[in-house]
Amino acid sequence: YDREARAFALWLNSLNVDPFVNYLFEDLKDGLVLLQAFDKIFPGSVNWKRVNTRVPLMRFKQIENTNMVVDLGKAHRFSLVGIQGADITDGVPMLVLAIVWQLMRANIIQTLASLSTHGREITDADMVKWANQVVASSGGRASPIRSFNDSKLSSGHFLLDVLNGMKPGIVDPQLVTAGHSDDDMKMNAKYAISIARKLGATIFLLPEDIVEVKPKMILTFIGSLMAIKH
């Protein structure tokens, strides 16, 4: 879980939470960072009068806070079946990652909705459609993807075509490998991340996330590109 935990910690820190998140599973156990994240993404959603804020907190006070986190997640239609506040306090990796991922995704969707002309919620399918359209309009050679699970993403060619479609000429073809071996794919992935950052995108994923086609992380990549394009 280390790679996802690192990416999610970077994202939480980008929200200027206090204290700074170094080790995700340990630093979220009292619920305070997650409650701050909820309040930043859904302003006014946290009733701070009910929150235990005087640290260090005893375990039962931590669980009161993390139960509040779970209740807020359910109120915002997160999928939290079987997750309890104690799971966050105990640092159960899979369950902690599940709630942080849904917060991060909500943040991306909310940002894109605020930037769109119609203001409606953006779906994963909308992001896939946008990326395919950018590639097609730019004359990119990569074939369309069906979802962020598409194995074609591993070579890095599709993401590079998206970037070149956003700013024609920004991708140097001589620096793009054939993408057949793991090393070649990783070089393309590194190049795509470098260009995205040059364009001003906030990137949390690693080259390995592209090569291994981690759909959650690739969604954050495309979402960030959509945001700067808008």
Side-chain angles (χ1 to χ4, degrees):
Y1 302 108
D2 284 353
R3 200 189 307 154
E4 275 192 18
R6 172 189 173 278
F8 292 166
L10 286 171
W11 169 71
L12 284 167
N13 289 326
S14 76
L15 298 178
N16 295 318
V17 295
D18 182 33
F20 191 87
V21 179
N22 290 300
Y23 183 60
L24 191 79
F25 307 118
E26 178 68 21
D27 295 343
L28 301 189
K29 67 181 184 181
D30 64 8
L32 292 174
V33 166
L34 288 174
L35 289 169
Q36 290 174 61
F38 265 105
D39 210 32
K40 289 174 184 289
I41 297 166
F42 306 105
S45 61
V46 178
N47 181 355
W48 287 102
K49 292 180 180 179
R50 293 180 51 216
V51 179
N52 301 301
T53 57
R54 187 175 296 177
V55 293
L57 294 172
M58 296 180 67
R59 176 179 165 81
F60 80 94
K61 292 290 186 183
Q62 293 178 341
I63 292 175
E64 284 182 354
N65 286 350
T66 51
N67 278 336
M68 200 179 304
V69 168
V70 173
D71 289 342
L72 283 167
K74 290 176 179 177
H76 289 93
R77 295 181 296 168
F78 288 10
S79 176
L80 299 174
V81 178
I83 299 180
Q84 299 177 346
D87 297 317
I88 300 171
T89 299
D90 292 338
V92 180
M94 187 181 298
L95 303 182
V96 172
L97 291 174
I99 194 163
V100 180
W101 159 243
Q102 290 180 82
L103 259 173
M104 187 177 184
R105 185 180 179 280
N107 186 212
I108 295 167
I109 297 299
Q110 193 180 74
T111 300
L112 294 176
S114 70
L115 294 170
S116 68
T117 53
H118 44 68
R120 72 171 178 82
E121 184 172 302
I122 305 296
T123 65
D124 293 17
D126 291 328
M127 291 190 223
V128 169
K129 182 180 178 181
W130 175 82
N132 283 329
Q133 287 174 338
V134 172
V135 170
S137 64
S138 69
R141 291 178 294 176
S143 54
I145 60 169
R146 298 182 305 276
S147 70
F148 295 126
N149 277 309
D150 199 312
S151 60
K152 292 193 292 288
L153 288 161
S154 63
S155 70
H157 290 158
F158 182 85
L159 298 180
L160 287 166
D161 278 352
V162 172
L163 292 160
N164 203 56
M166 292 176 65
K167 188 172 183 179
I170 199 168
V171 176
D172 183 347
Q174 294 185 344
L175 298 179
V176 181
T177 72
H180 296 318
S181 69
D182 284 349
D183 286 343
D184 278 1
M185 290 189 288
K186 193 170 182 180
M187 286 178 66
N188 287 344
K190 286 181 177 178
Y191 189 34
I193 290 171
S194 173
I195 293 173
R197 288 183 171 141
K198 189 183 295 184
L199 288 174
T202 303
I203 302 300
F204 300 105
L205 86 173
L206 295 173
E208 291 83 356
D209 295 322
I210 296 174
V211 174
E212 296 170 19
V213 190
K214 298 293 186 182
K216 292 177 182 176
M217 303 316 299
I218 292 174
L219 181 151
T220 69
F221 185 88
I222 294 297
S224 184
L225 294 182
M226 284 184 75
I228 62 169
K229 185 65 175 177
H230 283 294

